[in-house]
Structures are given as structure tokens and as C-alpha cells.
Amino acid sequence: MSEALTPETPEAVLDEAADEAGEEEPIKQRKNGLYPGVSDELAASMKSGWADTELRGLEPIAQAGYTAARRAALSARFPGERLVIPAGNLKTRSNDTEYPFRASVEYAYLTGNLTEDGVLVLEPAAEGHKATIYLLPRSNRENGEFWLSGQGELWVGRRHSLAEAEQLYGIPASDVRELPTALTEATGPVRVVRGYDAAIEAALTDKVTREHDDELRVFLSEARLVKDEFEAGELQKAVDSTVRGFEDVVKVLDKAEATSERFIEGTFFLRARVEGNDIGYGSICASGPHACTLHWVRNDGPVRSGDLLLLDAGVETHTLYTADVTRTLPVNGTFTEIQKKIYDAVYDAQEAGIAAVLPGAKYRDFHDAAQHVLAERLVEWGLLEGPVERVLELGLQRRWTLHGTGHMLGMDVHDCAAARTETYVEGTLEPGMCLTVEPGLYFQADDLTVPEEYRGIGVRIEDDLLVTEDGNRNLSAGLPRRSDEVEAWMASLKG
């Protein structure tokens, strides 16, 4: 990784640059660099001789019409109030390196923009609101920011000009560096989405309340419960890439056996980066007894023939919609008798859960249906004393089922998390909602209440369901689920 030039830049040059840019602080310096300074001749050279790269006649992003409709709904909900939705800032990983940036869901949902430091502001107007997107403009070439700053475009890449941003997002754009002062001087009621931008929150500290801000976050979370046409298409893209990622993994299971679960993690990650933005969450590549740890993301264990591999992974699209799919696969391609017994029970539970995903059904119905099947099997196998209704009433099956049977899915893997309980868990399914159905059975390696042959076996099957007008559509139907189909699919890929 190259070393930025900023450490040697003289204070006088930096202070002058800061004054020209209207910044409060000089360009940040890095200690212990190799150049003694910037000569006047070099500074002059770097100011000139650059081609005009402004992009003109840009087409709006694909979701621009949808984001406009979302902003209109937000405006209607909070008339007469200033609404501030930040994208967030870069976060330090260590010293002077940062984590890859991911814009806040609320900001991305309302704008389609994904760059750091952006802020969407809806100002009250005579009718509704006037929206402005505040962004960092292109790096300044006059003061040397573009090559002296660690965040200048010669270091981290070109960003869009404000004029380009207006064309892309269909929103008037302004310099975000001017926003904190403007917000400090603002009057009237204000709400802000908290937790993303400390400077913006500081500018509003005497103007906002936690209660009112929470109402804004809740509204934006509930607005995402029903997906529009664009979102449904992005979710299908995410799932389709995820299916190919699972196929990639099956083809290299022999290499994973020779190394570790990390080979599986890396294989899937390659597909996510080639076809999408990233993985939507830390991939769970759990082989053998690790499959009994619900969020096993260390992925540093062995992969052995005869064991099961629980792979829970999802590709995130360039627009930040993620898939969330799980398959439990026999590493050598064939289930043992006990593995198949447990797998088939989970499959039957998932079938019951999927059948319960219907418009007008209660959100809880698919969970209850799946848990009923699992409780029946646990009683059948002599692991629990019936009747089944008693088991469910006391929640006794949870020793081995552990988690809920699904969740909403979208720009967050656990989407709409801030929604009110009465509209989410206690709500009713509607066309356009997208959720996972993912029952599981997990018999811990140290569980002395089950026969030894069960211990260390974990099975989960998860699919992504879009509620339709007359039922549901399984977005991840491209991956086999039934045990015999899984074995045939794996054989075809390995062959």
C-alpha cells in the first residue's frame, strides 16, 4: 500500500490550502514520510495540465423514480419538519486504514447514493418538502487536496461532481462541508436518523429529541416492509448470484477438505465480489459440530468427509440488497442414515413453513407451522415427552431448534428491525414482503440428553420468499432442498 504524500507537506502550505478550501482544519498529515516537502515548482505543476473529466448527459440511476416516491411518502408523514438522513462516515480499522464504507440503509433507500459523508435533507416547503443531497464535491486541484490528502482522488479514486450527482440521483446537490453550520443556524422542528454522523448530530444537539428521532427511524423501517418492483428485482439478483456461489463451493469441497472452512468462505466471497458489492453478512461456513453454532463465522475449522457442511451465505448487490440462503450439505455428497433422518425432519418443517407464507396470513404462522413439525419429530424420536401441544406451550423444542424460523429480508439481512412489534411480528403478510423461512435442528456435541449418534449434527435449510398476490415465490428455488435432490445436484457438479 503506497504511502500518502501528506506527512511532509509544510504547515504553511497546508494552512493556505485549508483557507482556500474554506476548511476549518488543514489537510491531515501522516507522520514519518520520506519527502521533505513540496516545492513551489511541484505545487504549480500539480495544478495544471489536467484534462476536463466532467461527465455530462448522465442518465438517472435505475431506482431514481422509486427513491423519489419513497421521499414523497416520508414528506407526507412528517409535514412541516426538517428531516436529516446521513449516509455515515468512514470508520477506522487500524491507524490510518479504514473499513470499506457502506452507506446507512435509510440514506441509500431514499437516495440511491452510496458514498461516505453524504446527507439527505428534506426542508419544509409550502407544499411538502424540498430535498437536497449534501455530498463532498470533487477533490480540489487548486489547493492540492486531490493529491495531498489521504482521501484525495489520486489516493482513493474519483468521486462525482455535484452536477453529476444531480443528474444521477434527481436531487439538487450541495457541498456537505457547509451543512453543519447551516443546521446549527436552522430553526423549527428537526428530526435526524441517529448513529451515523457525529458532526451532524452535534450540529442539531439542541434541536432534536430522542423520541422524535426514533419515530423517524421506525417509519423508515416500516416503509421497507413491502418491497417495490425494483427491490424485488434486486433481491432476485442477489439470490441468483448466491445460487452460483453455492455451486462454486460444491465444486471445490475437495480443496476445502485439504485446507479448512476458510476455503469455502473465500470461494463464496469471490462470487460476491465479482457479481455484487460484497457479502450481505459474515458467511457461516460451518462444518461438522460447528454447524451447531448458529453464527459460526470464525470459519477456521476442518472440513471432513462424512460430516455435514452448513453454509449460510448471501451476495449483496451493488444497490445493497442481500440474499440470505442456507443449505446443509454432506461433504462427501451422501447423507448418512442419521444425517438424512434429521435433515428430512427439517425439510418437512420448512415445507410446512413455506406453505404458510400467504397474503393475509399472520406473520407468525410460518414459524408456528415449522415448529409444530419439529416438535412432532422430537416427540416421535423419544427426545421429548408429548403431547406436542404441551411441548410447544412450554417451548421445550427450543433446546434443539433454538431460533425463530425467519425474518424480513432486504437492504439489511435482518431487515426492518426498528419496525414496531405490532406491524412486524404481530402483523399480517402482504404482497411484496420478503422473508426467510429457515427452520433448524442442532444437537450439540456435548448434549447428553440425546443419543450419541445425534451429537454434533446441525441442520438448517433457508430460502428467501417473496409474498405474492396468490401465495409466495421462492426466490432461491434454484438450489435443491430435498435430500435426494441435494445428493444428485452435488454429484452433477462434482462430476
Side-chain angles (χ1 to χ4, degrees), residues 50-333:
W50 304 100
D52 177 10
T53 60
E54 182 73 10
L55 304 175
R56 299 170 178 84
L58 295 174
E59 292 294 321
I61 58 173
Q63 67 268 44
Y66 295 97
T67 56
R70 297 167 194 166
R71 293 192 300 274
L74 176 61
S75 173
R77 171 61 180 82
F78 298 103
E81 301 185 51
R82 181 177 285 102
L83 308 173
V84 182
I85 301 94
N89 317 122
L90 289 171
K91 289 182 170 59
T92 300
R93 181 178 183 271
S94 179
N95 187 29
D96 56 358
T97 59
E98 291 87 20
Y99 287 105
F101 179 73
R102 189 187 189 276
S104 75
V105 165
E106 294 86 354
Y107 175 84
Y109 177 75
L110 293 167
T111 66
N113 176 260
L114 305 179
T115 56
E116 66 268 18
D117 301 325
V119 184
L120 173 69
V121 177
L122 271 61
E123 296 276 354
E127 294 184 10
H129 288 78
K130 176 190 174 185
T132 304
I133 188 169
Y134 288 85
L135 302 166
L136 284 172
R138 287 193 64 189
S139 296
N140 191 318
R141 290 180 184 264
E142 284 300 308
N143 70 3
E145 176 197 355
F146 80 109
W147 71 290
L148 293 175
S149 169
Q151 293 301 319
E153 81 179 39
L154 291 197
W155 292 102
V156 297
R158 183 187 189 278
R159 55 183 176 250
H160 285 297
S161 70
L162 298 181
E164 291 168 354
E166 290 186 357
Q167 297 173 66
L168 290 168
Y169 307 112
I171 313 171
S174 293
D175 190 335
V176 72
R177 293 172 297 186
E178 302 167 359
L179 183 58
T181 300
L183 291 177
T184 301
E185 299 170 353
T187 58
V190 184
R191 297 180 192 251
V192 63
V193 177
R194 297 178 182 240
Y196 297 118
D197 195 317
I200 295 300
E201 289 182 37
L204 294 170
T205 187
D206 61 340
K207 308 176 194 302
V208 295
T209 67
R210 172 72 66 178
E211 180 183 1
H212 286 174
D213 292 347
D214 285 349
E215 289 176 356
L216 173 59
R217 184 184 289 276
V218 167
F219 174 82
L220 289 172
S221 197
E222 293 183 359
R224 302 199 310 277
L225 282 169
V226 176
K227 271 58 181 177
D228 57 38
E229 185 180 11
F230 176 83
E231 293 178 292
E234 290 300 295
L235 285 165
Q236 185 66 71
K237 284 182 191 176
V239 170
D240 290 346
S241 290
T242 299
V243 168
R244 290 188 282 273
F246 274 65
E247 292 172 346
D248 295 339
V249 167
V250 171
K251 292 174 182 177
V252 299
L253 280 178
D254 58 333
K255 294 183 174 63
E257 287 187 65
T259 53
S260 75
E261 294 163 340
R262 289 194 175 180
F263 201 95
I264 295 167
E265 179 183 356
T267 298
F268 187 83
F269 181 69
L270 177 60
R271 177 66 65 174
R273 287 293 282 164
V274 167
E275 294 193 2
N277 174 60
D278 206 331
I279 49 175
Y281 53 95
S283 298
I284 299 167
C285 308
S287 183
H290 288 164
C292 299
T293 301
L294 298 184
H295 287 168
W296 177 261
V297 293
R298 298 179 201 171
N299 299 335
D300 58 0
V303 179
R304 298 188 177 100
S305 179
D307 283 346
L308 295 177
L309 167 68
L310 190 156
L311 177 58
D312 184 337
V315 172
E316 177 185 80
T317 67
H318 294 292
T319 57
L320 306 189
Y321 288 85
T322 185
D324 182 9
V325 178
T326 306
R327 289 294 182 269
T328 305
L329 311 171
V331 173
N332 62 12

Side-chain angles (χ1 to χ4, degrees), residues 367-376 392 397-398 401 403 405:
H367 168 71
D368 293 342
Q371 290 294 301
H372 196 280
V373 172
L374 294 177
E376 285 178 337
L392 292 169
Q397 83 285 358
R398 292 179 61 186
T401 66
H403 55 80
T405 310

Side-chain angles (χ1 to χ4, degrees), residues 347-404:
Y347 172 81
D348 290 344
Q350 194 199 28
E351 282 284 273
I354 290 174
V357 176
L358 301 163
K362 292 295 183 183
Y363 174 82
R364 285 182 175 274
D365 288 353
F366 76 95
H367 168 71
D368 293 342
Q371 290 294 301
H372 196 280
V373 172
L374 294 177
E376 285 178 337
R377 297 303 167 86
L378 292 167
V379 170
E380 232 176 81
W381 298 340
L383 303 183
L384 286 172
E385 182 181 343
V388 170
E389 287 66 27
R390 168 186 169 273
V391 169
L392 292 169
E393 182 182 356
L394 298 176
L396 301 180
Q397 83 285 358
R398 292 179 61 186
R399 181 181 177 99
W400 301 290
T401 66
L402 293 178
H403 55 80

